[in-house]
Amino acid sequence: MTSQRTRDRLVARLSDQGITQPAVLDAVASTPRHIFIDEALAHRAYEDTALPIGHGQTISQPFIVALMTATLFNVPRDRVLELGTGSGYQAAILAALCQRVFTIERIEPLIERARTRLQALNLNNVIMKLGDGYRGWPEQGPFAGILVTAAPRVVPEELFQQLEVGGRMVVPVGADEVQELRVIDRTPDGYDEQVVEHVRFVPLLKGVRTS
Ligand code: SAH
């Protein structure tokens, strides 16, 4: 169930669904999603579905992870900020595609578990922080890419500022259960925005939770 073959089948399905970038498909093929999921649900790790990871949160559906990743990496990007570490799976996929990943999570037990998993995979290019990602990570910015995996009602101003010129942000936006997945490109003159998809994410919340 956790074999390379099941993972390859997931990759074939993603490719059928229009994810074409070889680097993204390779990252999915080489990242064991089952280790990011509690044992009781690990047998469902290679289904194309979101799964609960505790604390009311979910690991995103593989198609959405692949779509957001492919959208972010329309061009190579070296430093990427992720908001909402959750299980750590998306961070592991990003780590396969860029030099350095910065990721922030507000729920302490989730980030601790994610840290253990990423260490087990020897992904030493992921830098993690317990905190409120709402303001981004100004000390480490600007970033070539920002991937937000929880939905703000409006995109925080700080995130625009932490995007470098030529950088791209992929972010689900909205207060409802279904949100717009927006792509925001920073150009020398300002910002270009487009909506690529409709998605379902948990809300981006304020503050930190230690239990
Ligand atoms: N990327 C994750 C899934 C994201 S679920 C994965 O690959 O598993 C969304 C996550 O965002 C949750 O873990 C939630 O606690 C976190 N989150 C919500 N608001 C946040 C905030 N303001 N700062 C940091 N993390 C936040």
Side-chain angles (χ1 to χ4, degrees):
M1 83 190 163
T2 54
S3 70
Q4 186 65 46
R5 248 180 70 216
T6 357
R7 204 140 73 220
D8 289 345
R9 230 176 287 151
L10 171 63
V11 170
R13 204 157 53 224
L14 295 175
S15 155
D16 287 347
Q17 287 173 290
I19 307 294
T20 54
Q21 274 148 274
V24 174
L25 295 173
D26 285 351
V28 176
S30 61
T31 305
R33 188 169 181 259
H34 63 273
I35 76 155
F36 293 91
I37 294 169
D38 292 341
E39 233 169 289
L41 287 170
H43 64 287
R44 301 188 58 194
Y46 301 102
E47 292 176 19
D48 190 17
T49 181
L51 291 167
I53 55 171
H55 306 272
Q57 308 302 321
T58 54
I59 180 171
S60 310
Q61 180 194 352
F63 173 70
I64 296 298
V65 171
L67 176 73
M68 289 174 81
T69 307
T71 306
L72 191 71
F73 287 90
N74 64 323
V75 298
R77 301 191 184 276
D78 52 359
R79 290 159 56 85
V80 170
L81 172 68
E82 180 199 22
L83 301 185
T85 317
S87 68
Y89 177 69
Q90 172 76 71
I93 297 283
L94 294 173
L97 291 158
C98 68
Q99 266 163 30
R100 211 156 256 218
V101 180
F102 299 85
T103 182
I104 308 178
E105 169 58 54
R106 64 181 284 276
I107 301 180
E108 192 168 24
L110 286 181
I111 199 167
E112 290 315 325
R113 235 178 296 161
R115 196 188 300 281
T116 308
R117 291 159 171 161
L118 294 167
Q119 278 169 358
L121 293 177
N122 278 322
L123 294 175
N124 302 317
N125 60 338
V126 181
I127 295 121
M128 318 180 85
K129 172 167 108 164
L130 172 69
D132 182 353
Y134 216 84
R135 301 196 181 292
W137 198 334
E139 300 79 13
Q140 299 287 1
F143 301 97
I146 300 180
L147 190 65
V148 185
T149 66
R153 284 163 178 262
V154 292
V155 181
E157 187 50 42
E158 287 88 340
L159 298 186
F160 283 96
Q161 288 160 11
Q162 287 167 42
L163 203 56
E164 62 186 38
V165 173
R168 170 172 274 203
M169 169 160 41
V170 178
V171 52
V173 186
D176 302 328
E177 216 181 300
V178 175
Q179 306 105 22
E180 290 180 355
L181 185 62
R182 282 196 208 158
V183 176
I184 300 167
D185 287 306
R186 183 162 192 179
T187 69
D189 313 317
Y191 298 88
D192 281 347
E193 288 199 29
Q194 33 169 332
V195 175
V196 290
E197 183 66 84
H198 285 85
V199 289
R200 229 172 250 264
F201 275 90
V202 295
L204 189 74
L205 300 172
K206 293 197 179 173
V208 167
R209 234 175 79 182
T210 54
S211 64

